[in-house]
Amino acid sequence: MSEALANLLNETRQFPPPAELAADANVTAEAYAEAEADRLAFWERQAGRLAWARQWDQVLDWSNPPFAKWFVGGQLNVAYNCLDRHVEAGRGDKVAIHWEGEPGDTRTITYADLHRMTCQAANALTDLGVVAGDRVAIYMPMVPEAAVAMLACARIGATHSVVFGGFSAESLTNRIQDASAKVVITADGGYRRGKPSALKPTVDEAVANCPSVEHVLVVRRTGESVDWSQRDHWWHETVEQASTEHTAEAFDAEHPLFILYTSGTTARPKGILHTTGGYLTQTSYTSHAVFDLKPETDVYWCTADIGWVTGHSYIVYGPLSNGATQVMYEGTPDTPHKGRFWEIVDRYGVTILYTAPTLIRTMMKWGDDIPAEYSLSTLRLLGSVGEPINPEAWMWYRQHVGRGELPIVDTWWQTETGSIMISPLPGVTAAKPGSAMTPLPGISADVVDDQGQSVPNGGGGYLVLREPWPSMLRTIWGDDNRFIETYWSRFGAGASGTGGDEWIYFAGDGAKKDDDGHVWLLGRVDDVMLVSGHNISTTEVESALVSHPSVAEAAVVGATDPTAGQAIVAFAIPRGSTDISGEAGEQLIADLRNHVAKTLGPIAKPRQIMLVPELPKTRSGKIMRRLLRDVAENRSLGDVTTLQDSSVMELIASGMGGGK
Ligand code: 6R9
């Protein structure tokens, strides 16, 4: 069955919430009205969902914009909120984490277990001399100890900096040095694609250039042999021997909770700083509202890695502060077989699944028959994050994972925003495939033109945030000027000229409002193409390509063109069984060019389409269009260090040799 063609602007399908979910939803439409009536009072009520050791004196201090302070004077402990209070309320025996290792080993960890483990780690870190305000780098596989390490830092007021376990020694060095981390927590390795994948040697190499590091704490996961030095300590010989008693001290609401580096478009990574009270308030509330999380009955699974913000907010802090039961999986989705995710959903009875468009499109490529082998009957809500989800992928997700009936929440947010900002509410919103729909209650997002003026419905421009929000980044670690320059200088009071006196946050994403005022994300502003004087978004052309039955995934770039200024060059991955040899391939390319022209108009017809086996992605699964632009413009490749799989570019470049 082929879905109707779906030009983003002509997309008219709309799916109201299932009646049962709507009737029992955690959050109803009233929340919008309440937040509208008094935004600060609304956030104050959400802060009240947490346990505070000292009540705040002021909800928001915005007297020195763009530097915000939320819940001024309030004090709380994040780990207490995620663990102790559930145990104290008699829910210690409830499962916090169903963990599954890639080789198939499993662990069941209750809230009481997680509390004990965190207390031990807090005591061990204290013994190593870590005090509140120190920075601790965490470079771990997806094992429960990664969450424990984060929570233990939070418990003693140390600021963690998690570095994704796939990053190189050089990236790790840069991040450790930028934050002057005192301790590194790592493991001998983890399992990926059926094999042990070492981490400790990378830490050894990195730490050799990091004089700030006094100790390295090492979890034993794979049992492979590792080099050892005086500053190294085994987790099982220190943490697991430490006392399980630890009293959590309350910290100021603005105490630095973590730094997370985001690479963005420039080479030097930015250390995004998040603090304590506002961050936990909003991650906790959005978990409750957007996922309709019911701690008593739901089994929640977010497939992200803890090294990304999604793992911070929606594996660790959001779900645990709500007392949820969740699944945590160590490995890759195709080890040992392509049904691994669905097997896990059935095994643990997962009810809420939160994953990324890149994964959904990969599953589409693998074929409908794979999810069809599993029941998936426990699922009740699906989520998406990380990139725009093409309408076709959205429909596939609903059809083949969601039994054709489950609501999908497409959640827009960033490392910088800390929590979900734009998303349907599952019990309220009639969602449109491909749209993030509506700013959440208490969030004022808008789409503005070049001059910073709000565009009318039907218009397009730049996504901005007009009011501060509790989990907003507070600065870029050690670089206030870069913070102002990057996010606050494009529009509003921080812009030179007549920006007005309102401070406006520039998100760096293109967006549209449809005729109903719903928001459609169009990709990073840097990726927008200018073809013969028309702005065309990569997302729109990609969605048109993916709406063709033979295409699983596509990436589009603008390449310099003598006549048009920029010309559209597309890279498309055919679906599983598509014949692309010889003339069949030529024919498909011709069909696809016409298909895009028919869907979006002749101006959007790609100059060139290449059929490729893979696309270059960042390690968090986002398409790296910059590298494809190098290929399209016959340049040698730029920096490929953040590429997930470096052989991909060779495959693509050699495919080009065929003259396509
Ligand atoms: C959470 C996360 C942020 C960028 C963001 C945007 C893209 C994320 C999206 C989305 C369209 C969505 N993005 N979610 N685009 N629809 N639902 O991914 O954080 O890694 O910092 O990336 O990702 O471009 O600006 P981060």
Side-chain angles (χ1 to χ4, degrees):
M1 181 197 71
S2 153
E3 303 293 347
L5 299 183
N7 168 357
L8 286 188
L9 273 186
N10 295 338
E11 173 65 63
T12 52
R13 291 171 291 194
Q14 204 160 0
F15 299 92
E20 213 179 306
L21 197 158
D24 190 33
N26 284 350
V27 173
T28 65
E30 264 166 57
Y32 294 111
E34 285 172 17
E36 188 68 45
D38 189 340
R39 188 173 58 94
L40 295 185
F42 171 83
W43 283 121
E44 188 160 33
R45 276 195 299 283
Q46 306 322 324
R49 299 180 65 251
L50 305 176
W52 294 74
R54 185 185 187 280
Q55 179 78 8
W56 52 90
D57 307 312
Q58 188 186 2
V59 182
L60 169 65
D61 176 358
W62 191 232
S63 60
N64 179 31
F67 300 94
K69 290 183 183 153
W70 281 86
F71 308 112
V72 183
Q75 292 182 351
L76 74 170
N77 186 288
V78 166
Y80 177 86
N81 272 280
C82 291
L83 304 170
D84 304 52
R85 66 171 172 149
H86 308 313
V87 176
E88 287 170 11
R91 295 192 295 268
D93 291 341
K94 192 173 157 13
V95 175
I97 299 175
H98 290 291
W99 179 81
E100 178 147 330
E102 199 191 69
D105 47 336
T106 62
R107 289 162 72 183
T108 307
I109 297 170
T110 64
Y111 272 91
D113 296 333
L114 200 58
H115 175 252
R116 262 192 306 273
M117 293 161 80
T118 301
C119 287
Q120 289 186 305
N123 284 322
L125 286 172
T126 304
D127 288 347
L128 291 177
V130 179
V131 297
D134 285 346
R135 273 81 55 205
V136 172
I138 298 177
Y139 184 73
M140 296 274 271
M142 282 289 286
V143 292
E145 284 75 10
V148 170
M150 291 164 73
L151 290 163
C153 287
R155 194 170 184 90
I156 62 172
T159 303
H160 60 68
S161 163
V162 181
V163 179
F164 173 60
F167 275 130
S168 65
E170 194 188 331
S171 310
L172 181 57
T173 303
N174 292 338
R175 286 157 173 77
I176 293 174
Q177 286 180 349
D178 187 70
S180 307
K182 196 172 187 177
V183 168
V184 180
I185 307 178
T186 188
D188 49 1
Y191 287 92
R192 283 201 81 71
R193 301 190 193 289
K195 297 192 299 274
S197 164
L199 290 173
K200 175 73 165 52
T202 311
V203 173
D204 292 343
E205 199 184 325
V207 165
N209 301 312
C210 299
S212 66
V213 174
E214 294 171 14
H215 303 283
V216 176
L217 199 48
V218 189
V219 172
R220 190 161 65 191
R221 163 66 183 133
T222 62
E224 300 222 300
S225 74
V226 289
D227 288 345
W228 210 250
S229 87
Q230 262 199 316
R231 67 177 165 245
D232 297 333
H233 312 266
W234 281 116
W235 179 280
H236 57 270
E237 289 173 358
T238 51
V239 176
E240 287 174 16
Q241 309 307 321
S243 161
T244 56
E245 302 287 322
H246 184 275
T247 306
E249 180 194 337
F251 294 100
D252 191 89
E254 285 298 336
H255 187 77
L257 178 64
F258 68 84
I259 303 167
L260 185 58
Y261 289 84
T262 168
S263 45
T265 44
T266 57
R268 195 159 53 97
K270 303 188 282 278
I272 304 301
L273 178 69
H274 283 287
T275 59
T276 298
Y279 173 81
L280 195 65
T281 295
Q282 197 176 335
T283 50
S284 193
Y285 171 70
T286 49
S287 296
H288 167 79
V290 175
F291 301 119
D292 192 43
L293 195 56
K294 307 266 198 298
E296 300 311 322
T297 46
D298 275 317
V299 179
Y300 164 90
W301 183 23
C302 167
T303 68
D305 191 281
I306 234 155
W308 311 121
V309 73
T310 306
H312 284 57
S313 300
Y314 297 107
I315 294 177
V316 180
Y317 297 115
L320 296 178
S321 63
N322 280 289
T325 294
Q326 68 179 314
V327 170
M328 182 174 176
Y329 172 56
E330 178 185 33
T332 42
D334 52 352
T335 307
H337 58 80
K338 293 188 165 104
R340 185 69 188 267
F341 269 27
W342 315 127
E343 183 182 84
I344 291 175
V345 167
D346 281 355
R347 178 171 308 140
Y348 298 100
V350 171
T351 58
I352 302 168
L353 178 69
Y354 191 31
T355 192
T358 178
L359 257 151
I360 297 163
R361 292 187 300 251
T362 300
M363 304 286 186
M364 280 170 79
K365 184 173 64 186
W366 289 344
D368 306 351
D369 47 324
I370 296 174
E373 283 168 38
Y374 299 85
S375 153
L376 309 182
S377 61
T378 50
L379 287 171
R380 69 178 193 93
L381 177 67
L382 306 175
S384 171
V385 62
E387 284 185 296
I389 176 167
N390 324 103
E392 211 59 29
W394 197 103
M395 289 305 296
W396 188 91
Y397 195 22
R398 180 171 161 103
Q399 209 59 42
H400 298 281
V401 183
R403 309 186 299 275
E405 60 189 40
L406 297 191
I408 297 176
V409 288
D410 173 14
T411 62
W412 179 87
W413 59 295
Q414 311 175 295
T415 304
E416 292 87 340
T417 68
S419 312
I420 298 170
M421 303 291 281
I422 307 180
S423 162
L425 282 179
V428 178
T429 315
K432 298 172 181 172
S435 172
M437 300 301 288
T438 317
L440 288 179
I443 299 302
S444 35
D446 196 3
V447 181
V448 300
D449 63 18
D450 277 323
Q451 266 65 54
Q453 300 299 315
S454 186
V455 304
N457 288 354
Y462 307 92
L463 186 72
V464 298
L465 300 165
R466 290 188 175 279
E467 299 283 356
W469 62 100
S471 66
M472 67 195 280
L473 76 165
R474 296 306 195 257
T475 189
I476 293 174
W477 182 257
D479 202 342
D480 287 348
N481 286 336
R482 195 174 177 202
F483 168 64
I484 297 173
E485 225 166 81
T486 311
Y487 305 107
W488 303 95
S489 301
R490 181 78 173 243
F491 301 115
S496 55
T498 54
D501 46 15
E502 186 196 10
W503 283 82
I504 298 178
Y505 174 89
F506 170 61
D509 283 327
K512 266 179 189 172
K513 290 182 197 167
D514 67 15
D515 291 339
D516 303 320
H518 294 131
V519 180
W520 296 75
L521 275 307
L522 298 177
R524 300 296 294 167
V525 169
D526 304 339
D527 292 333
V528 169
M529 304 172 289
L530 191 63
V531 182
S532 306
H534 297 263
N535 271 324
I536 299 178
S537 93
T538 51
T539 304
E540 284 183 299
V541 183
E542 285 160 11
S543 290
L545 285 164
V546 174
S547 76
H548 189 281
S550 300
V551 176
E553 175 145 39
V556 164
V557 298
T560 310
D561 183 87
T563 48
Q566 278 191 317
I568 300 175
V569 177
F571 299 78
I573 304 181
R575 285 224 205 182
S577 54
T578 313
D579 177 14
I580 54 158
S581 56
E583 251 174 58
E586 301 281 337
Q587 189 55 49
L588 177 59
I589 288 169
D591 287 352
L592 291 177
R593 292 183 67 224
N594 290 331
H595 174 75
V596 174
K598 215 168 103 200
T599 313
L600 294 173
I603 185 79
K605 187 173 187 167
R607 178 184 77 187
Q608 197 180 4
I609 297 182
M610 278 161 271
L611 301 177
V612 293
E614 279 301 337
L615 291 171
K617 306 231 172 106
T618 65
R619 289 161 195 271
S620 65
K622 296 186 212 286
I623 296 170
M624 286 181 82
R625 293 181 187 74
R626 178 170 58 78
L627 295 180
L628 293 173
R629 224 173 286 135
D630 291 343
V631 172
E633 295 180 344
N634 290 315
R635 256 197 315 277
S636 60
L637 292 183
D639 183 10
V640 292
T641 46
T642 51
L643 199 60
Q644 188 177 33
D645 174 359
S646 55
S647 63
V648 165
M649 289 315 295
E650 286 154 35
L651 278 174
I652 292 172
S654 67
M656 300 270 307
K660 285 278 86 47

